[in-house]
């Protein structure tokens, strides 16, 4: 069975600084999909960034980028130029190629400090 | 982009009441929808996978008779919490995937805004 681990329950960063959230996962599959979701206090789930496992190039979406290390089964999220609106829970998620369900990590609560 | 509508957003009711939550895909047909439960400051826990025209697949530990799921059409899935009690109070979120997306699974799931259920 697949599992997703986020070892940082809480993190904080100064506004305009850079922060990295860690995520590791366990799977026996060779191809799969990885995601980072943001959940602000409104509790709406917002897709931040996505990555296909067979692509070596790290995904980037504006201030958000990932460091995907397939051999290490690591998928960290880097947020550059942190903004107050980035304050939220961040969930790392795994989707197998059977596309049956998404498995979420326990989440990291990020606080951006003015 | 694809939108999933979830209703109601907040419901408060007495213990013993049955509560129905609706999840609609507004601009695509969703053959599969997912229902999650989330406790405060915790992650999303998958309760069941709802398949159009067939029985839902429940995760281990989720009571089928307690949480009734119906997926009668390609755009609507409902979750009914039967005879709700205070311990059923939680945040419930649905999601749907668009199988026709050109991006395939990378399209990911589209989430509803969630339903806050409070049982008195």
């Amino acid at each position: 069975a697949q599992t997703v681990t986020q070892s940082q329950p809480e993190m904080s960063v100064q506004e305009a600084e850079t922060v990295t959230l860690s995520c590791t996962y366990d799977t026996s599959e060779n191809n799969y999909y990885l995601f980072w979701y943001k959940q602000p206090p409104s509790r709406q789930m917002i897709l931040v960034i996505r990555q296909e496992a067979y692509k070596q190039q790290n995904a980037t979406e504006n201030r958000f980028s990932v460091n995907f290390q397939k051999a290490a089964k690591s998928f960290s999220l880097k947020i550059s130029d942190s903004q107050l609106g980035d304050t939220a829970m961040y969930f790392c998620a795994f989707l197998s190629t059977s596309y049956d369900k998404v498995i979420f990590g326990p989440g990291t609560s990020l606080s951006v400090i003015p | 982009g694809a939108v999933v509508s979830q209703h109601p957003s907040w419901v408060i009711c007495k213990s013993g009441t049955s509560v129905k939550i609706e999840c609609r895909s507004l601009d695509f047909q969703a053959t599969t929808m997912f229902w999650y439960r989330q406790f405060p400051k915790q992650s999303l826990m998958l309760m069941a996978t709802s398949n159009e025209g067939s029985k839902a697949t429940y995760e281990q530990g989720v009571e089928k008779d307690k949480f009734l799921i119906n997926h009668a059409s390609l755009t609507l899935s409902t979750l009914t919490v039967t005879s709700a009690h205070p311990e059923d109070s939680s945040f419930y979120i649905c999601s749907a995937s668009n199988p026709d997306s050109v991006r395939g699974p990378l399209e990911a799931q589209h989430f509803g805004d969630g339903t806050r259920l409070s049982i008195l």
Side-chain angles (χ1 to χ4, degrees):
Chain A
Q2 294 92 354
T3 60
V4 178
T5 302
Q6 294 177 248
S7 60
Q8 306 149 314
E10 296 182 357
M11 293 192 70
S12 61
V13 61
Q14 291 286 338
E15 192 176 7
E17 295 296 310
T18 296
V19 64
T20 299
L21 309 183
S22 66
C23 171
T24 58
Y25 57 93
D26 187 27
T27 183
S28 58
E29 297 186 19
N30 188 51
N31 195 26
Y32 43 87
Y33 308 88
L34 296 165
F35 308 89
W36 277 97
Y37 282 92
K38 169 185 177 182
Q39 188 181 42
S42 66
R43 305 194 80 168
Q44 181 185 12
M45 293 292 287
I46 302 168
L47 178 64
V48 175
I49 200 166
R50 60 194 112 191
Q51 175 87 38
E52 294 178 82
Y54 70 85
K55 287 189 175 181
Q56 293 297 315
Q57 186 175 6
N58 290 323
T60 299
E61 291 285 346
N62 300 313
R63 298 184 294 109
F64 300 89
S65 62
V66 298
N67 182 5
F68 175 47
Q69 300 291 327
K70 190 173 184 178
K73 297 180 181 177
S74 171
F75 185 61
S76 61
L77 173 69
K78 186 173 78 172
I79 305 175
S80 304
D81 186 24
S82 297
Q83 301 175 1
L84 296 179
D86 295 335
T87 293
M89 283 288 290
Y90 287 82
F91 295 100
C92 179
F94 173 99
L95 174 64
S96 71
T97 51
S98 61
Y99 200 32
D100 54 353
K101 58 187 176 184
V102 176
I103 298 171
F104 288 90
T108 296
S109 177
L110 176 67
S111 297
V112 180
I113 303 169
Chain B
V3 177
V4 173
S5 173
Q6 188 172 340
H7 176 81
S9 58
W10 197 355
V11 58
I12 303 173
C13 59
K14 295 180 179 179
S15 182
T17 305
S18 291
V19 179
K20 179 184 285 186
I21 302 170
E22 293 186 348
C23 181
R24 295 180 183 273
S25 56
L26 297 184
D27 56 359
F28 66 98
Q29 294 183 329
T31 54
T32 303
M33 292 185 175
F34 302 89
W35 287 96
Y36 296 87
R37 184 174 182 176
Q38 186 181 30
F39 291 105
K41 298 187 178 181
Q42 293 189 24
S43 187
L44 279 69
M45 181 190 75
L46 180 66
M47 298 175 65
T49 302
S50 172
N51 302 296
E52 188 271 335
S54 63
K55 292 183 178 180
T57 303
Y58 289 82
E59 296 298 302
Q60 189 175 6
V62 178
E63 298 177 60
K64 300 178 182 181
D65 296 331
K66 177 71 171 178
F67 300 99
L68 300 178
I69 292 174
N70 182 278
H71 195 154
S73 76
L74 287 171
T75 60
L76 174 64
S77 176
T78 61
L79 167 67
T80 300
V81 183
T82 61
S83 187
H85 289 91
E87 59 266 29
D88 298 323
S89 298
S90 189
F91 191 68
Y92 294 87
I93 309 175
C94 72
S95 72
S97 56
N98 182 357
D100 296 327
S101 169
V102 295
R103 303 193 67 173
L106 204 60
E107 179 69 20
Q109 297 183 11
H110 301 279
F111 286 86
D113 288 341
T115 297
R116 184 180 301 177
L117 176 61
S118 299
I119 308 298
L120 304 178

